[in-house]
Amino acid sequence: MTTFQNFYQKLKSIRKTSGVIRVATFCVLFGPISNLQAQELPKHEKCIYRSPEGKLFINKDLPLFVKVSTSPDADSENFLLKSSKTAQYSNPMFLDTEGWNTLRSPSAVDSATRKTVYPLQDVIFDMYADGIAPKSKLNFGSSCKYENDEVTFLGGKVALRISGDDEMSGIQDFYYSVNSGSYQSNSNHPLEIEEEGKYEFKYYAVDNVGNAEELHEVNFVIDKSAPVTKHEIDGLKQNNILAPDAKISLVSNDSLSGVKKLFYAIDDKEFKLYRKPIPVALIQNGKGKIAYYAVDQVGNKEEPRFIGTLASANKEASEGDVFDYYIDRSAPEVTFEFDGDFYEGDREYISARTKVKLEATDDKSGVQKILYSYNSFITNETYDEPFNPDGNSPVELSYTAVDYVENTAEEKAHNFYIDRLAPKTNISFDGPVFRNRDTVFVSSKTSLRILGEDKESGLKEISYTLNGEKFSYDKPFSSEKNGANRLEWISVDNVNNKEALQKLVFVVDNEAPSVHYHFSVEPIGEKVVREEQYVIYPSNTKLYIGATDDVTGEESLKYTINGGTPSGKIPVGGFESGNYEIEIMVSDVLGNETAKRIRFAIEN
């Protein structure tokens, strides 16, 4: 059973005009044909045929009876010849030899003289036995023809011509049937079929003595439809924006005979045979185009289609045939910035609170992702939002961005340091200072110096509060307030790391010690010398000297007698008669000094 026995096609009309038969179909039905009545072949009677040249052809299967008459008239009396010797092979007799056969009578007689003709010769009656059917073949005319293992495809309007040959009586006629329709006489005229579809064509030839050829069956498809070609993008694309390394593949389909060749042309250049995907890099941005079409196995050619902008494509192309594209050859632009504390000196510094902010823009296909890494050879971390860099100083942060067609920005690196530590400060004193346990004593002449250090971004400022009054530290300071003073200070580095609040209570001692003295004996009198009043003591008297300080205490006590060498020996004794001026000098540990003069006289 052939593949074409699974369908039949009803004929819409069969008409014969000027020797040309046109067949138009109106539908094709697929499915089993078991319900169709068996198709009957025409009956062809076996016969005797006399050709225009006078030759007599006898179907070899026919029985022969030989009769004689004395008149050539058809209605004259005739007599059946009988054979006495071979009665069993006559009436009827059959011709045994294909082709030329004879009936003979020996010794011809001249019809005029009625005498035997010399030299002697037989009277020969010629006849030809024809028992072989003719041979025919089907020609598809000028139609483009393509055959695969099962199906013959024909292109365009098909003019079928049945031709054949018969060696004896000759061909009387050809008969054909289309899609199980009734058999028609063809008489060797072309049979034109115009409608696309699948056809089951049967035909055979009959010779002039009724020998019918065995039935030929040919299945073919008339293909009048051109292929349909579409383009596909091999590689990335985003809203008709192509990557520069993308390729355009052409895919063509033909539902009948199949695609034979596919052609393309770039920018109105010569069409080339399509063999592999076309790099989009060959197309100009904005005005480049690709035209393409396919041809099937029987020559049906597709109308050209276009890839390009509406402006660049053929004006006759419909909008649906045009692919409006843009080739994105530009990588995204990436920006880097710090969100938070930042300081740039000889290096760039950020605090632990500072975030790295990356932004990328791409005005074509758009930004697909931003990638970054720090202190790493591979930039593969996906950036989602600003982040605090991990790790310690120094940091090398690499970053890039990729758009939707895989254009990748050139990788950049940003070097910076993370200052995670606050500054450190301490107090130093320039001038008198005394420490007693956890208390610091200074004088009003003592300067306080706040010393700060930051090993990363550097010290930005120191501010302090002295007794509730705020100051910005820029130089050493002192306090005039006698007694307890409260000092608070804080330092900040250049990325705003703040030191914990520092506190110090110190005591300012501005009061000198008090000098105390007394004699070991009572005075014995008074006198005036140069208008100075002197108290007189006996020679055995001794002078006791002392000092007191309410804050820091006495540090040193010295005295001189009449401008002599200072001494600290107490009590003072061994006086001789005379007038005395003793100058007492006392200082506390902070250098606060008190001087006192004592005038008295010694008499024996």
Side-chain angles (χ1 to χ4, degrees):
M1 180 179 291
T2 67
T3 57
F4 285 84
Q5 288 173 321
N6 293 326
F7 73 92
Y8 73 90
Q9 185 175 33
K10 292 185 178 180
L11 300 178
K12 182 179 180 181
S13 64
I14 302 177
R15 52 198 176 101
K16 188 169 185 180
T17 306
S18 301
V20 176
I21 298 177
R22 302 180 182 272
V23 177
T25 62
F26 68 93
C27 69
V28 178
L29 302 179
F30 295 89
I33 59 173
S34 58
N35 293 330
L36 295 177
Q37 294 182 353
Q39 188 181 20
E40 295 184 0
L41 292 172
K43 294 181 178 180
H44 303 282
E45 297 292 339
K46 297 182 178 182
C47 62
I48 297 175
Y49 166 71
R50 188 178 293 277
S51 71
E53 296 83 11
K55 290 184 177 181
L56 187 67
F57 295 90
I58 302 171
N59 192 301
K60 193 177 178 182
D61 290 337
L62 291 177
L64 296 182
F65 297 87
V66 182
K67 296 180 179 181
V68 295
S69 176
T70 60
S71 172
D73 296 335
D75 56 353
S76 65
E77 185 179 10
N78 56 72
F79 299 90
L80 181 66
L81 292 181
K82 294 182 179 181
S83 173
S84 58
K85 288 185 178 182
T86 57
Q88 69 272 28
Y89 303 116
S90 63
N91 298 323
M93 65 170 286
F94 292 89
L95 299 178
D96 68 326
T97 301
E98 183 72 23
W100 183 48
N101 287 262
T102 60
L103 290 177
R104 296 174 177 266
S105 175
S107 302
V109 175
D110 188 294
S111 60
T113 63
R114 304 291 194 271
K115 293 181 179 181
T116 302
V117 176
Y118 292 96
L120 295 176
Q121 55 184 305
D122 292 344
V123 177
I124 301 173
F125 296 93
D126 296 314
M127 66 187 75
Y128 295 85
D130 187 354
I132 299 175
K135 294 181 180 180
S136 63
K137 62 181 179 179
L138 183 64
N139 186 279
F140 294 106
S142 60
S143 298
C144 186
K145 179 181 177 183
Y146 170 71
E147 293 180 299
N148 60 23
D149 294 338
E150 296 181 349
V151 185
T152 296
F153 294 92
L154 304 174
K157 182 170 67 174
V158 177
L160 302 176
R161 180 184 290 274
I162 306 172
S163 61
D165 180 64
D166 188 85
E167 296 181 355
M168 287 288 107
S169 61
I171 293 176
Q172 183 234 2
D173 205 347
F174 300 99
Y175 292 86
Y176 70 91
S177 169
V178 180
N179 292 339
S180 300
S182 61
Y183 282 88
Q184 306 291 319
S185 171
N186 178 255
S187 301
N188 206 25
H189 295 301
L191 171 65
E192 291 189 355
I193 303 179
E194 298 181 357
E195 297 297 326
E196 184 178 82
K198 300 179 180 180
Y199 291 89
E200 180 186 65
F201 191 83
K202 299 176 182 178
Y203 68 95
Y204 66 95
V206 179
D207 64 16
N208 283 305
V209 295
N211 291 312
E213 181 186 18
E214 286 188 7
L215 188 66
H216 294 280
E217 181 177 335
V218 176
N219 297 313
F220 60 88
V221 176
I222 295 179
D223 181 2
K224 299 180 72 174
S225 300
V228 176
T229 306
K230 296 181 180 180
H231 70 271
E232 296 178 353
I233 304 301
D234 296 335
L236 293 172
K237 60 181 181 296
Q238 175 77 5
N239 298 327
N240 291 358
I241 296 177
L242 309 182
D245 60 349
K247 296 180 181 180
I248 298 175
S249 293
L250 300 179
V251 180
S252 188
N253 290 293
D254 187 272
S255 61
L256 295 177
S257 62
V259 178
K260 183 177 182 180
K261 292 182 179 180
L262 181 55
F263 299 91
Y264 76 98
I266 298 178
D267 297 333
D268 295 323
K269 295 179 181 178
E270 182 180 354
F271 276 92
K272 298 179 180 179
L273 181 64
Y274 175 82
R275 299 181 185 277
K276 59 183 179 180
I278 306 165
V280 299
L282 300 177
I283 308 174
Q284 302 179 42
N285 262 338
K287 58 183 178 179
K289 68 176 181 180
I290 294 178
Y292 59 92
Y293 67 89
V295 179
D296 67 14
Q297 296 287 356
V298 293
N300 293 310
K301 179 181 176 182
E302 179 183 19
E303 287 297 321
R305 295 176 180 268
F306 299 87
I307 302 173
T309 60
L310 289 172
S312 66
N314 192 307
K315 295 180 180 179
E316 298 178 355
S318 66
E319 187 172 349
D321 292 329
V322 176
F323 171 63
D324 198 3
Y325 68 90
Y326 185 90
I327 302 173
D328 185 357
R329 294 185 170 95
S330 301
E333 295 286 337
V334 190
T335 59
F336 175 101
E337 64 176 308
F338 293 116
D339 184 8
D341 304 311
F342 169 72
Y343 172 71
E344 183 175 8
D346 57 340
R347 300 170 178 173
E348 290 186 356
Y349 291 92
I350 64 172
S351 74
R353 301 171 299 280
T354 303
K355 293 184 177 182
V356 170
K357 185 177 181 181
L358 299 174
E359 289 186 346
T361 58
D362 188 280
D363 59 357
K364 301 300 185 298
S365 61
V367 177
Q368 179 188 165
K369 57 186 174 181
I370 300 174
L371 300 174
Y372 73 94
S373 68
Y374 39 86
N375 298 336
S376 174
F377 292 106
I378 303 175
T379 304
N380 59 358
E381 295 288 335
T382 300
Y383 175 85
D384 294 317
E385 59 184 359
F387 63 92
N388 300 107
D390 293 334
N392 297 314
S393 295
V395 173
E396 180 178 272
L397 193 142
S398 302
Y399 58 94
T400 184
V402 182
D403 65 18
Y404 278 101
V405 294
E406 295 297 327
N407 290 315
T408 302
E410 181 180 358
E411 187 173 300
K412 296 181 180 179
H414 203 101
N415 295 283
F416 56 92
Y417 290 76
I418 304 175
D419 184 353
R420 302 181 185 276
L421 302 176
K424 293 181 178 181
T425 57
N426 57 70
I427 291 287
S428 69
F429 299 92
D430 186 8
V433 61
F434 170 68
R435 291 179 173 84
N436 185 6
R437 297 183 180 178
D438 57 351
T439 303
V440 177
F441 299 89
V442 298
S443 75
S444 58
K445 298 178 181 179
T446 303
S447 296
L448 281 75
R449 186 187 302 271
I450 304 177
L451 302 176
E453 181 184 29
D454 189 273
K455 294 182 179 181
E456 294 289 342
S457 61
L459 192 65
K460 181 179 180 181
E461 65 176 353
I462 301 174
S463 60
Y464 68 93
T465 300
L466 179 60
N467 300 321
E469 188 175 357
K470 294 182 179 181
F471 300 93
S472 177
Y473 179 82
D474 56 359
K475 61 182 179 180
F477 60 91
S478 61
S479 177
E480 298 291 337
K481 178 186 175 184
N482 197 54
N485 287 256
R486 185 176 183 84
L487 176 66
E488 295 179 346
W489 74 95
I490 190 170
S491 63
V492 181
D493 66 16
N494 281 304
V495 292
N496 298 318
N497 292 316
K498 293 183 179 181
E499 179 186 23
L501 184 65
Q502 304 295 305
K503 299 178 181 180
L504 175 68
V505 175
F506 63 93
V507 178
V508 175
D509 182 5
N510 289 324
E511 296 183 359
S514 298
V515 177
H516 306 280
Y517 67 93
H518 67 274
F519 291 91
S520 60
V521 296
E522 295 294 325
I524 58 175
E526 294 182 355
K527 66 177 181 180
V528 176
V529 180
R530 297 187 185 92
E531 298 181 353
E532 294 289 340
Q533 185 75 29
Y534 284 82
V535 178
I536 301 171
Y537 289 94
S539 59
N540 62 343
T541 190
K542 292 183 179 180
L543 175 64
Y544 291 89
I545 303 172
T548 60
D549 190 275
D550 294 337
V551 181
T552 59
E554 174 191 342
E555 173 67 16
S556 68
L557 187 152
K558 297 289 184 181
Y559 61 89
T560 60
I561 300 174
N562 293 330
T565 303
S567 174
K569 185 178 179 181
I570 297 174
V572 183
F575 293 108
E576 295 180 357
S577 295
N579 296 327
Y580 289 90
E581 182 180 88
I582 296 177
E583 185 172 2
I584 303 170
M585 296 165 289
V586 179
S587 65
D588 61 18
V589 295
L590 298 176
N592 294 310
E593 295 180 342
T594 300
K596 192 174 183 69
R597 287 185 179 86
I598 302 173
R599 292 183 179 90
F600 63 93
I602 298 297
E603 291 182 1
N604 292 326

